[in-house]
Amino acid sequence: MATQFLRRFFAPRSLVVIGASPKPESIGGMVLQNLLQAGFPGPLWVVNPRGYKEVHGVTCFRRIADLPETPDLAVVCSPLESVPDVLERLGDKQVRAALIVSGGVSLDPDSKAGAALRRRLQRATLRSGMRVLGPECLGVAVPSVKLNATYASQPIGDGTVAYLGQSGMLGNAMIDWAAGREVGFSHLVTLGDSLDVQLPDVIDYLNQSGRCRALLLHLEDIRNARHFMTALRESSRNRLVLAIKSGRTAEATLSPVPATAGIDRRDAIVDTALARAGVVRVADSDELFDALETLSRFKPPKGDRLAIVSNGVGPALLAIDKLIDGGGLLAELSETSAQALVAQKLDVSRPGRNPVDLGGRATPDHYLRALEIVTRDPGVDAVLVLHAPTRLAPSLATANALVEARQRFRHRLLVSWMGLKEALDARAACNRAGIPSYVSPEKAVRAFLHLVRYRQVQRLLQETPPSLPFDSDAEVRRRCHALVDDALARQRDRLTHQETGEILSAYGIECAPSEYVFDLEQAERATERLPGPWAVKVVHRDNCEPFRDGGEARRPATSLIQDLEQPGRVVDAVVRLESQVSEMLPDSPIYSYCLQTMQRGKGSLQLCAGITRDAEFGPVIVFGSGGYKIDVMADRQTALPPLNLRLAQELIDRTRAGRLIREHSHDPQDAVVWVSRLLVKLSQMASDLPRLKGLEINPLLLNQEGLMAVDFALDLGEPSTQAIMPYPEQLRETVVLKGMEVDIRPIRGEDAPLITHFHTFLSEQSIRYRYFHHKAVLSARDLAQLSQINYDRQMAFIAVRRRDEHGSVDAAGDAPAGEEMLGVVRVWNDPDNIRTEFSIIVRDDLHGVGLGRCLMQKMIDYSRQVGTLAMVGTVLSDNLPMRRLLAGLGFALRTNVEEGVLEATLRLNDPQSDWQRHRLEAALD
C-alpha cells in the first residue's frame, strides 16, 4: 500500500484525539496539550465516552459518530484492548488514517493473548480500510505544519532532519538529545509495532519531501527487505542517511531471526545491506548526532589519509590508535612539507613527520603556520587539530585565530578542544564558524572515519562498474532448472556432488577433473583415466549440505582420503570410506565416490566462496579464506546480490584472503579479476535459481593457472526473493527494423560506457528535446543515475546492436567494443504505482526506422503488465516527431501554456479502489 493515505498523518487538515481526558497522567491529554502548544491550525476535537464537555479547552464528544465532520487523522489513546472496536467505529465514519499511541499490552505472537489481540487489530484495520500507524508509538510530529501529535515531554523544534524509529521511548530521548544540540526536525515518527504502516512506507513518503535533508533511522527489525532496500537506496541518493540498529546480539533481539548458515555474526549482513544502500551505520545514539553534525558540515574528503597537528604528542598518539583501529590511514608528509616544518621549527618530537607536535610552548601563530603547510600537502586528505589549553595558547584565543584564518587552509579542519571550562567557549566559536569541534581526540577521529565511511558507501551506491563478459543464457538456466526440478521430484533437498559440479560448470566455473564411481571395479578403472596421485571422497547425503560444519576447522577423515599413490590404494580407500560412513552415519545414504587428482605443488591459495540465505535479506554472497584445516568463519565476509565486478572486488578487499591474493599471487591484478568474475557468476546464479538455498565451494584453489573448485555442496529450499531486485533478463527481446537486428533489453550498470558513446551521436536539438536544455557532457554522477536503477521502481529499455555487424568507432576511437546503443526509453514509477513518467531518445542517424515506436510500445506493454495506472510525460511544443508518435500511440496531449510544453497522458489500467481513483485523478489534474 506504500504511501496510501500517509499525507493524512503528516499534514492533516483536521484531527480528533480519542481517549484524551483532563487527568494529568492521561496520554491522550498529553497529546492534546502538545497539539495545542504547537498551534495545530485545523479543526480539533476530542472523543471520550465519559462525556466531558471539553478537555483542555477543546470540544469533547461522547461518541465518534457525533463528530461534526470526518477528521483527516484520528489519534487513538484508548486502552489497547478497546482499540479494535474504536477502529471499527472510525471506519464507519470514513476516517482513513489512525495513529495508535496506546500500548502497554504485549502483542507477542508467541503469547496466546498477545496473538489474539494482534489478530483482532489486523482484522479491524482491514475491515475499516484505514492506514494505521502503531500501536505502542510516540506519535508523529511535523513542526513546519504545526503538528505535534506525540506525548513528548518538550516542544520539538523545526529543522531539516527527519527521525524515523521503532521505539517510542528512544524517540522521546532523541527529542531531548536534539534539543541539547540545537537540532530541529522536519519530521519525527516512531512506528511502534507497525501493524500496518511500515518503515519503508514512511521513507517513501519522505522521499517526496523537499524539507528532509538528512534522515536518522533507528531500526529494530526489517520485515520487507526488498521494499526497505528500494526506499532506502532512493533516499540516500538524495540526502544523508544515518542508521542505528539494535539487536547486534541475539540477546538484544526481541523477535529472534533464525541463524544464517555459514555466517557467524548475522549482524554483519545488516552492515552489508546498509552500506549497499549508501547508509552510514553508527553504534550508539551519541554517535548518531556526532555523525550528523560532521557530515552535515563537512564535505567528505577524497581519501582516508589524516594529518594531525597537536600541541602535545600524547593526545596525538591516542588519536592515531583510534584512526588505525577504525581502518583509516595516517598521512605521510611530503619532503617539501617536512622541510618547511623543520625550517620553521614547528615540529619538536619527530621533526617533519606526522603527527606534527608543536610542543607545549606553541602559540596560536604556531598552529596557523603549521596548518598552512600541512593542509597544502598533496598526500593529506584531512587535518585534525588537537589542542590542550596552555598559558601561551588559551583555547578561545586559538579558536578565534583558526576561525579568522580558515580561508587560508586548503582543507577543512576537524578540531578537538580538550578540557571543559576553557574548551566550552572555543567549541562554541568553532561551531558558529562551521568548524566541527569535539571533546576528545577519539571522538574527532571517529568523526573523520564517518566521513571516510560516507564516501565509501556512496561510492558503492553510485559507482559505474566495467562490463563483465558473461551472461547466463536461456539454455544454461534450462539445464540448471532441470537438475533442481529432478532432485525435488526425487524428494531430495540437496544436489549430489556431481550435480553441483554440473551447475558450476554451466556457469563457467572450472571444477577439478572428477570421476564419479559406484563400486570397487569402477574405482579401479577410473585411475586409468585420471593421473595420480588421487584423492577419494565419499558422497553421501550429509556431506552434500553446504556450511554443515559451522565454519570450524573440518575433520574430513570420515569423507575424504588423500595422497593415494597406487590404484590399489584407491580401492582400499573406497572400502574404508564405505565402512566409516555406514558405522558413523548410518542414516546418510551414499550416492557415489568422487575420484580426483591431487592438486598440490602449484602454490595455490585456498579460498571459500558461496551463497547462503538470510531470513530477512534473502540470498547473500560469501567469500573468504578456505580449506579443511582452518576456521573459515574468521575471514568470511558478505555481499548482497546482484554484484558487478567492482562490488565483487570490494567484497574481496574486506577479507584477509584478499590481502593474501594481492601479496602472494603471481599476478595479483589478474587474480583479483578471476575471483571477482567468479563472485559475479555466483550472484547471477542466485538470481537465476530462486530455489537455491545454499552453495559452498571450499576449497576453491587459486594459482597462476586460474581458479578451480575442488569441493562443493548445494542445497535447495523454497523460492527466495532478493533484497535488491536482480537484473530482469526475461524482458530481453530481439526485433528486426528495416533489415537491422536490434536487441532490446533492460539497462545495466555496466552500460555507462555505451551511454557515453551514444551521447556523441545526439544533436544539440535532440539533447534539448530530451533534457529541455543543452547537456554536452554527462558527469560520472549522471552516468550512475542513468545506468544504475532500481528495477522495481524504474525501468529503462535500451536498443543495442552488435558492433561487428554495423557502425564505426567515433572520432576518438574509444567506442566500447561488442555493442553500440541506438536508443533508450525510461520510466520512473511513484511508490504507489499510480503513474509513471516516461522519456525517450533515439540516435539522430536512426530517426525514421521505427525504433522510437518500438521502444515506446515495449515500455507501454511493460507498464501495463506491472499494474501502473497511467503513463505521463512532457514534450516541448516544437518537438513535432514526438507529438506525432505519441498521438499515434493513443496519448492524450494537453497544452500547458505557462510552461510552453505539451503534457502527454496514456491510461494503462483501471483503478482498483477509491483511493487509487482519487490519487490518479489528483495526479492527472
Side-chain angles (χ1 to χ4, degrees), residues 158-195:
D158 190 14
T160 59
V161 177
Y163 171 77
L164 305 184
Q166 292 174 281
S167 164
M169 285 301 101
L170 189 56
N172 236 330
M174 198 63 65
I175 293 168
D176 193 52
W177 272 314
R181 294 175 179 242
E182 299 181 349
V183 173
F185 291 101
S186 65
H187 303 76
L188 184 138
V189 188
T190 65
L191 294 107
D193 282 313
S194 299
L195 282 181

Side-chain angles (χ1 to χ4, degrees), residues 11-87:
R13 299 185 186 93
S14 56
L15 192 150
V16 62
V17 181
I18 313 291
S21 80
K23 297 178 181 177
E25 71 275 11
S26 164
I27 291 291
M30 297 178 200
V31 171
L32 184 60
Q33 286 179 307
N34 281 340
L35 285 164
L36 293 170
Q37 187 177 16
F40 180 71
L44 182 60
W45 306 287
V46 172
V47 170
N48 192 308
R50 293 185 178 274
Y52 301 111
K53 282 190 176 183
E54 59 178 41
V55 177
H56 299 305
V58 176
T59 303
C60 181
F61 298 89
R62 186 182 293 273
R63 299 180 306 161
I64 293 171
D66 296 336
L67 290 170
E69 59 184 86
T70 300
D72 261 3
L73 174 64
V75 182
V76 181
C77 307
S78 307
L80 196 56
E81 295 89 341
S82 69
V83 169
D85 294 332
V86 171
L87 294 180

Side-chain angles (χ1 to χ4, degrees), residues 621-921:
I621 307 300
V622 298
F623 175 74
S625 300
Y628 292 116
K629 298 181 179 180
I630 69 164
D631 180 1
V632 295
M633 290 282 206
D635 188 40
R636 183 166 288 163
Q637 296 292 327
T638 63
L640 293 185
L643 297 182
N644 53 49
L645 286 176
R646 289 195 183 172
L647 291 170
Q649 184 174 320
E650 189 272 339
L651 169 59
I652 295 167
D653 289 343
R654 284 189 274 125
T655 64
R656 182 173 178 273
R659 292 192 293 274
L660 293 175
I661 291 171
R662 296 188 185 280
E663 292 170 4
H664 299 294
S665 295
H666 177 73
D667 188 331
Q669 186 172 354
D670 280 352
V672 170
V673 170
W674 293 339
V675 178
S676 297
R677 286 179 173 171
L678 177 135
L679 293 173
V680 174
K681 291 172 181 179
L682 294 182
S683 169
Q684 186 65 48
M685 196 183 300
S687 299
D688 291 344
L689 306 175
R691 298 299 295 262
L692 191 160
K693 182 181 177 184
L695 167 66
E696 182 183 16
I697 307 174
N698 183 25
L700 171 68
L701 300 185
L702 171 66
N703 53 48
Q704 62 185 21
E705 297 176 1
L707 280 170
M708 180 178 288
V710 174
D711 199 3
F712 29 79
L714 186 154
D715 65 353
L716 307 171
E718 293 298 317
S720 64
T721 299
Q722 291 185 199
I724 301 173
M725 187 173 177
Y727 182 75
E729 174 67 32
Q730 72 279 7
L731 297 176
R732 180 194 295 261
E733 66 171 311
T734 300
V735 299
V736 178
L737 299 172
K738 294 191 175 181
M740 176 176 61
E741 190 173 277
V742 177
D743 196 21
I744 299 178
R745 59 169 175 80
I747 202 164
R748 298 179 297 203
E750 294 89 344
D751 290 326
L754 294 183
I755 298 173
T756 301
H757 183 59
F758 169 77
H759 204 72
T760 65
F761 284 85
L762 302 177
S763 65
E764 184 173 334
Q765 184 184 59
S766 292
I767 294 173
R768 184 175 67 87
Y769 282 161
R770 164 62 178 86
Y771 296 103
F772 289 26
H773 64 275
H774 184 54
K775 197 177 186 73
V777 178
L778 296 174
S779 68
R781 185 177 180 86
D782 290 334
L783 289 172
Q785 290 179 337
L786 291 172
S787 61
Q788 289 195 336
I789 64 174
N790 286 322
Y791 294 111
D792 52 347
R793 289 283 176 83
Q794 302 165 255
M795 182 52 69
F797 291 118
I798 64 169
V800 297
R801 66 181 174 188
R802 303 297 302 176
R803 288 192 58 79
D804 55 355
E805 296 179 12
H806 300 278
S808 58
V809 298
D810 60 353
D814 59 357
E819 291 181 328
E820 63 177 345
M821 181 172 157
L822 312 178
V824 58
V825 61
R826 300 176 180 277
V827 291
W828 293 263
N829 283 28
D830 66 41
D832 303 306
N833 204 24
I834 299 297
R835 71 173 193 166
T836 192
E837 185 174 355
F838 76 87
S839 72
I840 182 171
I841 189 168
V842 174
R843 268 173 40 169
D844 284 53
D845 59 334
L846 291 172
H847 289 180
V849 302
L851 182 56
R853 174 176 286 273
C854 184
L855 285 170
M856 280 298 298
Q857 191 62 58
K858 171 88 171 174
M859 188 60 81
I860 289 169
D861 293 343
Y862 166 79
S863 297
R864 188 171 278 131
Q865 180 184 354
V866 299
T868 310
L869 301 188
M871 181 179 286
V872 301
T874 304
V875 183
L876 290 175
S877 299
D878 62 339
N879 190 349
L880 298 180
M882 191 65 195
R883 292 171 62 174
R884 287 193 294 268
L885 172 61
L886 295 178
L889 290 169
F891 280 80
L893 301 177
R894 186 177 70 173
T895 302
N896 184 327
V897 178
E898 291 183 4
E899 299 292 336
V901 297
L902 292 175
E903 295 172 347
T905 303
L906 179 67
R907 291 289 188 99
L908 300 173
N909 290 292
D910 293 328
Q912 299 300 304
S913 68
D914 289 340
W915 174 81
Q916 281 193 336
R917 186 173 296 105
H918 170 74
R919 277 292 309 273
L920 178 62
E921 290 169 356

Side-chain angles (χ1 to χ4, degrees), residues 203 207 212-213 215 229-241 276-279 454 457-464 644 647 724 749 780-791 793-794 828:
I203 296 175
N207 285 343
C212 175
R213 302 290 182 85
L215 178 59
M229 290 295 290
T230 298
L232 206 52
R233 284 165 64 83
E234 185 175 334
S235 186
S236 58
R237 289 182 189 275
N238 299 295
R239 59 181 57 82
L240 168 66
V241 183
R276 185 71 180 273
V279 176
Y454 184 59
V457 298
Q458 284 293 303
R459 190 175 64 229
L460 289 180
L461 185 69
Q462 303 286 354
E463 58 93 23
T464 304
N644 53 49
L647 291 170
I724 301 173
R781 185 177 180 86
D782 290 334
L783 289 172
Q785 290 179 337
L786 291 172
S787 61
Q788 289 195 336
I789 64 174
N790 286 322
Y791 294 111
R793 289 283 176 83
Q794 302 165 255
W828 293 263

